[in-house]
Amino acid sequence: MKKMKGLSMLLAIMLFVFTIAGCSGGSSQENGSNDSNKAVQQEPAKEDGKEKEKEQAAAPEEQKIDLGGDTIKIGVWYDDADPRQSKDKSPGEEEQIKLIDAVEKKYNCKIEFVKFGDYNKYVENFTTTSLSGTPFADIVLLELFWAFPTLANKDFIVPVDDKLDLNDPKYIGWMKNGGSFKGKQYGMTDSSPSPYGIFYNKTLVKKLGLEDPFELQQKGEWTWEKFRDFAKKATKDTNGDGKTDIYGIAGAYGKINSFTEQIIYSNNGRVDKDASGNMKFSLDGENAVEALQFVSDLYNKDKSIMQPIPEDANKEFVAGKGVMYGGFSWELGGLLDNMKNQELGFVFFPKGPKSDKYVSYTPFGNMFMVAKYSKHADVAAKIMDEISLHDTGRKLAQQSWESSYPNKESLETRKAMADSIDYISYYAIPDGEKLFEGVVKDITTGKISPSTAVDKVKPQFEANINKLLQDSK
């Protein structure tokens, strides 16, 4: 949980900096109304009544909502959520402050950011205060594995489909994919979380005479086969002492558990979902088992993954002991600081044989959701939408990437990842991470076949899924 807490706070902070705002339907409706009024003025007086009826049918005026000075609370678990409290305000914060001011005037309300800092008891606090009739916030930031299935099934949060026009292109794919449950939209965000990809040492790649992974990616040839060949060729005994000095793969953030997750999902495999998206143990599916075998081969046959598996693979990568490292994009700054004499690259994980596109996957995604028991649940979604930056936030984020990514290639990958990210949901299952970690350990250091390793955990995994489904009713 400590791992999730630290990462989630980072992701939440990053999400919020680039996330919040832009007016929703109000402006477009007002503009449309103005255009209609101009048309009406040009028509003969006798047609005014009919034209006004047409105008109202085409673009009905938004009903004015007066909250009578009430406070709309937005719940988070980290500091500095309120841009108005920031000392050195960024362009995004300045823009967001304008939007907050506009919303407070429009709805006659106050916006307050409420922090409940105990991450491990955050959901407990939300549910307890909700059951008392007064949730600690009207809009709450929630991890997706908290929200689905439990909080959604138990009606602690409400869908927002009827409050937002989800066909509007300002709503990103990550929001609609990760933030939906059973066909209903619950989550609100305009920024995808930090994607997980492969950092690689371009300097070493050139020195070893290997083809650059980005070039393979651009040609659509960054596949498991190419990745495996690349990793084997990059694994070297450089001084002839019989010991490997440079590995193709230094490891990954989260040891190689996160690495294995990416390989499974990059082959259209799943851990906890069937083909229809229903919660079901799926690690024994053909695509998933094929992915587990691939990881086993990299470690046991090719020995291209650093051995023993390092506790801190980032450190080993920085030290030049590996050509590739699996990690989150937010790690870039630290890598650049510690590898000043090396050029870095960043690419997607390779496509498996059962996939036809590059996608980054993450279990760490959080979104804003409306508390059902909020006094102002009906208007909360609109308020959150209207203080979110939307396109402006994404433009600011891209400007930030342009100044921080080391080359055009890695920048291009980062931009592509923002629109190609999907959700790993099995962290919602009790002991799901622990059971999965056991499988990874068995297929690598335990040298157990993937099918045997999966069969070993299947009964407990299924029992825990059933318990989660039962408890969330």
PDB file of all heavy atoms in Angstrom, residues 289-312:
ATOM      1  N   VAL A 289      -1.124 -16.565 -20.718  1.00  0.00           N
ATOM      2  CA  VAL A 289      -0.132 -17.628 -20.516  1.00  0.00           C
ATOM      3  C   VAL A 289       1.025 -17.468 -21.501  1.00  0.00           C
ATOM      4  O   VAL A 289       2.196 -17.682 -21.163  1.00  0.00           O
ATOM      5  CB  VAL A 289      -0.789 -19.019 -20.652  1.00  0.00           C
ATOM      6  CG1 VAL A 289       0.268 -20.121 -20.662  1.00  0.00           C
ATOM      7  CG2 VAL A 289      -1.774 -19.249 -19.511  1.00  0.00           C
ATOM      8  N   GLU A 290       0.704 -17.092 -22.731  1.00  0.00           N
ATOM      9  CA  GLU A 290       1.736 -16.850 -23.731  1.00  0.00           C
ATOM     10  C   GLU A 290       2.676 -15.729 -23.273  1.00  0.00           C
ATOM     11  O   GLU A 290       3.899 -15.806 -23.458  1.00  0.00           O
ATOM     12  CB  GLU A 290       1.082 -16.472 -25.063  1.00  0.00           C
ATOM     13  CG  GLU A 290       2.059 -16.292 -26.218  1.00  0.00           C
ATOM     14  CD  GLU A 290       1.349 -15.970 -27.529  1.00  0.00           C
ATOM     15  OE1 GLU A 290       0.234 -15.401 -27.486  1.00  0.00           O
ATOM     16  OE2 GLU A 290       1.915 -16.298 -28.599  1.00  0.00           O
ATOM     17  N   ALA A 291       2.112 -14.710 -22.651  1.00  0.00           N
ATOM     18  CA  ALA A 291       2.915 -13.594 -22.154  1.00  0.00           C
ATOM     19  C   ALA A 291       3.797 -14.026 -20.985  1.00  0.00           C
ATOM     20  O   ALA A 291       4.969 -13.636 -20.895  1.00  0.00           O
ATOM     21  CB  ALA A 291       2.007 -12.444 -21.730  1.00  0.00           C
ATOM     22  N   LEU A 292       3.256 -14.826 -20.095  1.00  0.00           N
ATOM     23  CA  LEU A 292       4.041 -15.325 -18.962  1.00  0.00           C
ATOM     24  C   LEU A 292       5.204 -16.178 -19.452  1.00  0.00           C
ATOM     25  O   LEU A 292       6.313 -16.112 -18.907  1.00  0.00           O
ATOM     26  CB  LEU A 292       3.146 -16.126 -18.014  1.00  0.00           C
ATOM     27  CG  LEU A 292       2.075 -15.330 -17.251  1.00  0.00           C
ATOM     28  CD1 LEU A 292       1.156 -16.279 -16.487  1.00  0.00           C
ATOM     29  CD2 LEU A 292       2.714 -14.332 -16.285  1.00  0.00           C
ATOM     30  N   GLN A 293       4.967 -16.964 -20.487  1.00  0.00           N
ATOM     31  CA  GLN A 293       6.037 -17.787 -21.053  1.00  0.00           C
ATOM     32  C   GLN A 293       7.120 -16.899 -21.657  1.00  0.00           C
ATOM     33  O   GLN A 293       8.324 -17.203 -21.548  1.00  0.00           O
ATOM     34  CB  GLN A 293       5.471 -18.727 -22.126  1.00  0.00           C
ATOM     35  CG  GLN A 293       6.494 -19.713 -22.688  1.00  0.00           C
ATOM     36  CD  GLN A 293       7.023 -20.656 -21.621  1.00  0.00           C
ATOM     37  OE1 GLN A 293       6.256 -21.396 -21.004  1.00  0.00           O
ATOM     38  NE2 GLN A 293       8.328 -20.644 -21.398  1.00  0.00           N
ATOM     39  N   PHE A 294       6.710 -15.804 -22.279  1.00  0.00           N
ATOM     40  CA  PHE A 294       7.669 -14.875 -22.868  1.00  0.00           C
ATOM     41  C   PHE A 294       8.590 -14.292 -21.796  1.00  0.00           C
ATOM     42  O   PHE A 294       9.817 -14.237 -21.965  1.00  0.00           O
ATOM     43  CB  PHE A 294       6.912 -13.759 -23.596  1.00  0.00           C
ATOM     44  CG  PHE A 294       7.793 -12.772 -24.295  1.00  0.00           C
ATOM     45  CD1 PHE A 294       8.505 -13.121 -25.426  1.00  0.00           C
ATOM     46  CD2 PHE A 294       7.903 -11.464 -23.830  1.00  0.00           C
ATOM     47  CE1 PHE A 294       9.321 -12.201 -26.083  1.00  0.00           C
ATOM     48  CE2 PHE A 294       8.710 -10.538 -24.477  1.00  0.00           C
ATOM     49  CZ  PHE A 294       9.417 -10.908 -25.604  1.00  0.00           C
ATOM     50  N   VAL A 295       8.013 -13.877 -20.675  1.00  0.00           N
ATOM     51  CA  VAL A 295       8.816 -13.331 -19.573  1.00  0.00           C
ATOM     52  C   VAL A 295       9.743 -14.402 -19.011  1.00  0.00           C
ATOM     53  O   VAL A 295      10.921 -14.144 -18.737  1.00  0.00           O
ATOM     54  CB  VAL A 295       7.908 -12.766 -18.455  1.00  0.00           C
ATOM     55  CG1 VAL A 295       8.736 -12.346 -17.244  1.00  0.00           C
ATOM     56  CG2 VAL A 295       7.093 -11.580 -18.969  1.00  0.00           C
ATOM     57  N   SER A 296       9.226 -15.612 -18.868  1.00  0.00           N
ATOM     58  CA  SER A 296      10.044 -16.726 -18.379  1.00  0.00           C
ATOM     59  C   SER A 296      11.232 -16.979 -19.296  1.00  0.00           C
ATOM     60  O   SER A 296      12.362 -17.192 -18.838  1.00  0.00           O
ATOM     61  CB  SER A 296       9.189 -17.994 -18.267  1.00  0.00           C
ATOM     62  OG  SER A 296       9.973 -19.100 -17.887  1.00  0.00           O
ATOM     63  N   ASP A 297      11.007 -16.916 -20.596  1.00  0.00           N
ATOM     64  CA  ASP A 297      12.089 -17.147 -21.560  1.00  0.00           C
ATOM     65  C   ASP A 297      13.143 -16.039 -21.494  1.00  0.00           C
ATOM     66  O   ASP A 297      14.350 -16.308 -21.589  1.00  0.00           O
ATOM     67  CB  ASP A 297      11.524 -17.240 -22.979  1.00  0.00           C
ATOM     68  CG  ASP A 297      10.732 -18.520 -23.205  1.00  0.00           C
ATOM     69  OD1 ASP A 297      10.882 -19.461 -22.399  1.00  0.00           O
ATOM     70  OD2 ASP A 297       9.963 -18.572 -24.185  1.00  0.00           O
ATOM     71  N   LEU A 298      12.688 -14.799 -21.345  1.00  0.00           N
ATOM     72  CA  LEU A 298      13.635 -13.696 -21.228  1.00  0.00           C
ATOM     73  C   LEU A 298      14.555 -13.892 -20.026  1.00  0.00           C
ATOM     74  O   LEU A 298      15.763 -13.651 -20.093  1.00  0.00           O
ATOM     75  CB  LEU A 298      12.890 -12.356 -21.072  1.00  0.00           C
ATOM     76  CG  LEU A 298      12.117 -11.823 -22.280  1.00  0.00           C
ATOM     77  CD1 LEU A 298      11.292 -10.604 -21.875  1.00  0.00           C
ATOM     78  CD2 LEU A 298      13.052 -11.454 -23.418  1.00  0.00           C
ATOM     79  N   TYR A 299      13.970 -14.364 -18.933  1.00  0.00           N
ATOM     80  CA  TYR A 299      14.747 -14.499 -17.696  1.00  0.00           C
ATOM     81  C   TYR A 299      15.564 -15.786 -17.654  1.00  0.00           C
ATOM     82  O   TYR A 299      16.765 -15.766 -17.360  1.00  0.00           O
ATOM     83  CB  TYR A 299      13.802 -14.444 -16.492  1.00  0.00           C
ATOM     84  CG  TYR A 299      14.534 -14.397 -15.166  1.00  0.00           C
ATOM     85  CD1 TYR A 299      14.972 -13.179 -14.647  1.00  0.00           C
ATOM     86  CD2 TYR A 299      14.809 -15.553 -14.449  1.00  0.00           C
ATOM     87  CE1 TYR A 299      15.665 -13.126 -13.448  1.00  0.00           C
ATOM     88  CE2 TYR A 299      15.502 -15.510 -13.246  1.00  0.00           C
ATOM     89  CZ  TYR A 299      15.930 -14.293 -12.745  1.00  0.00           C
ATOM     90  OH  TYR A 299      16.618 -14.246 -11.553  1.00  0.00           O
ATOM     91  N   ASN A 300      14.938 -16.913 -17.975  1.00  0.00           N
ATOM     92  CA  ASN A 300      15.594 -18.214 -17.783  1.00  0.00           C
ATOM     93  C   ASN A 300      16.390 -18.712 -18.981  1.00  0.00           C
ATOM     94  O   ASN A 300      17.451 -19.315 -18.807  1.00  0.00           O
ATOM     95  CB  ASN A 300      14.539 -19.262 -17.394  1.00  0.00           C
ATOM     96  CG  ASN A 300      13.919 -18.988 -16.044  1.00  0.00           C
ATOM     97  OD1 ASN A 300      14.624 -18.879 -15.047  1.00  0.00           O
ATOM     98  ND2 ASN A 300      12.597 -18.868 -15.997  1.00  0.00           N
ATOM     99  N   LYS A 301      15.888 -18.463 -20.189  1.00  0.00           N
ATOM    100  CA  LYS A 301      16.590 -18.940 -21.376  1.00  0.00           C
ATOM    101  C   LYS A 301      17.620 -17.922 -21.875  1.00  0.00           C
ATOM    102  O   LYS A 301      18.793 -18.230 -22.035  1.00  0.00           O
ATOM    103  CB  LYS A 301      15.594 -19.274 -22.497  1.00  0.00           C
ATOM    104  CG  LYS A 301      14.756 -20.504 -22.228  1.00  0.00           C
ATOM    105  CD  LYS A 301      13.885 -20.828 -23.433  1.00  0.00           C
ATOM    106  CE  LYS A 301      13.051 -22.095 -23.195  1.00  0.00           C
ATOM    107  NZ  LYS A 301      12.197 -22.408 -24.374  1.00  0.00           N
ATOM    108  N   ASP A 302      17.148 -16.703 -22.106  1.00  0.00           N
ATOM    109  CA  ASP A 302      18.034 -15.674 -22.654  1.00  0.00           C
ATOM    110  C   ASP A 302      18.905 -15.033 -21.583  1.00  0.00           C
ATOM    111  O   ASP A 302      19.988 -14.528 -21.885  1.00  0.00           O
ATOM    112  CB  ASP A 302      17.217 -14.576 -23.342  1.00  0.00           C
ATOM    113  CG  ASP A 302      16.285 -15.121 -24.412  1.00  0.00           C
ATOM    114  OD1 ASP A 302      16.475 -16.272 -24.842  1.00  0.00           O
ATOM    115  OD2 ASP A 302      15.359 -14.381 -24.811  1.00  0.00           O
ATOM    116  N   LYS A 303      18.392 -15.035 -20.360  1.00  0.00           N
ATOM    117  CA  LYS A 303      19.065 -14.366 -19.231  1.00  0.00           C
ATOM    118  C   LYS A 303      19.371 -12.908 -19.560  1.00  0.00           C
ATOM    119  O   LYS A 303      20.420 -12.361 -19.202  1.00  0.00           O
ATOM    120  CB  LYS A 303      20.338 -15.115 -18.839  1.00  0.00           C
ATOM    121  CG  LYS A 303      20.081 -16.564 -18.420  1.00  0.00           C
ATOM    122  CD  LYS A 303      21.310 -17.225 -17.842  1.00  0.00           C
ATOM    123  CE  LYS A 303      21.060 -18.700 -17.533  1.00  0.00           C
ATOM    124  NZ  LYS A 303      19.978 -18.911 -16.567  1.00  0.00           N
ATOM    125  N   SER A 304      18.427 -12.284 -20.273  1.00  0.00           N
ATOM    126  CA  SER A 304      18.604 -10.890 -20.670  1.00  0.00           C
ATOM    127  C   SER A 304      18.001  -9.910 -19.665  1.00  0.00           C
ATOM    128  O   SER A 304      18.179  -8.697 -19.796  1.00  0.00           O
ATOM    129  CB  SER A 304      17.996 -10.648 -22.055  1.00  0.00           C
ATOM    130  OG  SER A 304      16.627 -10.997 -22.082  1.00  0.00           O
ATOM    131  N   ILE A 305      17.287 -10.435 -18.652  1.00  0.00           N
ATOM    132  CA  ILE A 305      16.810  -9.612 -17.544  1.00  0.00           C
ATOM    133  C   ILE A 305      17.830  -9.725 -16.418  1.00  0.00           C
ATOM    134  O   ILE A 305      18.263 -10.831 -16.070  1.00  0.00           O
ATOM    135  CB  ILE A 305      15.427 -10.073 -17.043  1.00  0.00           C
ATOM    136  CG1 ILE A 305      14.374  -9.932 -18.149  1.00  0.00           C
ATOM    137  CG2 ILE A 305      14.996  -9.260 -15.823  1.00  0.00           C
ATOM    138  CD1 ILE A 305      12.999 -10.451 -17.763  1.00  0.00           C
ATOM    139  N   MET A 306      18.219  -8.618 -15.857  1.00  0.00           N
ATOM    140  CA  MET A 306      19.279  -8.583 -14.837  1.00  0.00           C
ATOM    141  C   MET A 306      19.014  -9.597 -13.728  1.00  0.00           C
ATOM    142  O   MET A 306      17.906  -9.687 -13.200  1.00  0.00           O
ATOM    143  CB  MET A 306      19.390  -7.173 -14.250  1.00  0.00           C
ATOM    144  CG  MET A 306      20.609  -6.997 -13.377  1.00  0.00           C
ATOM    145  SD  MET A 306      20.857  -5.255 -12.915  1.00  0.00           S
ATOM    146  CE  MET A 306      22.433  -5.392 -12.107  1.00  0.00           C
ATOM    147  N   GLN A 307      20.067 -10.348 -13.379  1.00  0.00           N
ATOM    148  CA  GLN A 307      19.944 -11.393 -12.379  1.00  0.00           C
ATOM    149  C   GLN A 307      21.045 -11.269 -11.334  1.00  0.00           C
ATOM    150  O   GLN A 307      22.213 -11.042 -11.694  1.00  0.00           O
ATOM    151  CB  GLN A 307      19.997 -12.755 -13.063  1.00  0.00           C
ATOM    152  CG  GLN A 307      18.937 -12.889 -14.129  1.00  0.00           C
ATOM    153  CD  GLN A 307      18.880 -14.251 -14.802  1.00  0.00           C
ATOM    154  OE1 GLN A 307      19.485 -15.216 -14.338  1.00  0.00           O
ATOM    155  NE2 GLN A 307      18.157 -14.316 -15.904  1.00  0.00           N
ATOM    156  N   PRO A 308      20.682 -11.382 -10.035  1.00  0.00           N
ATOM    157  CA  PRO A 308      19.322 -11.502  -9.517  1.00  0.00           C
ATOM    158  C   PRO A 308      18.505 -10.234  -9.779  1.00  0.00           C
ATOM    159  O   PRO A 308      19.070  -9.168  -9.999  1.00  0.00           O
ATOM    160  CB  PRO A 308      19.535 -11.717  -8.013  1.00  0.00           C
ATOM    161  CG  PRO A 308      20.835 -11.063  -7.727  1.00  0.00           C
ATOM    162  CD  PRO A 308      21.676 -11.298  -8.938  1.00  0.00           C
ATOM    163  N   ILE A 309      17.194 -10.375  -9.752  1.00  0.00           N
ATOM    164  CA  ILE A 309      16.322  -9.229 -10.019  1.00  0.00           C
ATOM    165  C   ILE A 309      16.595  -8.146  -8.983  1.00  0.00           C
ATOM    166  O   ILE A 309      16.493  -8.382  -7.781  1.00  0.00           O
ATOM    167  CB  ILE A 309      14.840  -9.646  -9.963  1.00  0.00           C
ATOM    168  CG1 ILE A 309      14.543 -10.655 -11.089  1.00  0.00           C
ATOM    169  CG2 ILE A 309      13.932  -8.431 -10.079  1.00  0.00           C
ATOM    170  CD1 ILE A 309      13.185 -11.319 -10.979  1.00  0.00           C
ATOM    171  N   PRO A 310      16.990  -6.954  -9.416  1.00  0.00           N
ATOM    172  CA  PRO A 310      17.356  -5.898  -8.461  1.00  0.00           C
ATOM    173  C   PRO A 310      16.156  -5.304  -7.727  1.00  0.00           C
ATOM    174  O   PRO A 310      15.054  -5.233  -8.269  1.00  0.00           O
ATOM    175  CB  PRO A 310      18.034  -4.848  -9.348  1.00  0.00           C
ATOM    176  CG  PRO A 310      17.423  -5.042 -10.699  1.00  0.00           C
ATOM    177  CD  PRO A 310      17.162  -6.522 -10.817  1.00  0.00           C
ATOM    178  N   GLU A 311      16.410  -4.898  -6.493  1.00  0.00           N
ATOM    179  CA  GLU A 311      15.366  -4.223  -5.725  1.00  0.00           C
ATOM    180  C   GLU A 311      15.080  -2.849  -6.323  1.00  0.00           C
ATOM    181  O   GLU A 311      13.947  -2.395  -6.344  1.00  0.00           O
ATOM    182  CB  GLU A 311      15.797  -4.079  -4.263  1.00  0.00           C
ATOM    183  CG  GLU A 311      15.784  -5.376  -3.470  1.00  0.00           C
ATOM    184  CD  GLU A 311      14.384  -5.924  -3.284  1.00  0.00           C
ATOM    185  OE1 GLU A 311      13.426  -5.111  -3.187  1.00  0.00           O
ATOM    186  OE2 GLU A 311      14.233  -7.155  -3.255  1.00  0.00           O
ATOM    187  N   ASP A 312      16.150  -2.182  -6.791  1.00  0.00           N
ATOM    188  CA  ASP A 312      16.010  -0.853  -7.378  1.00  0.00           C
ATOM    189  C   ASP A 312      16.621  -0.870  -8.776  1.00  0.00           C
ATOM    190  O   ASP A 312      17.792  -0.545  -8.963  1.00  0.00           O
ATOM    191  CB  ASP A 312      16.701   0.188  -6.492  1.00  0.00           C
ATOM    192  CG  ASP A 312      16.460   1.618  -6.967  1.00  0.00           C
ATOM    193  OD1 ASP A 312      15.851   1.792  -8.044  1.00  0.00           O
ATOM    194  OD2 ASP A 312      16.886   2.551  -6.264  1.00  0.00           O
TER     195      ASP A 312
END
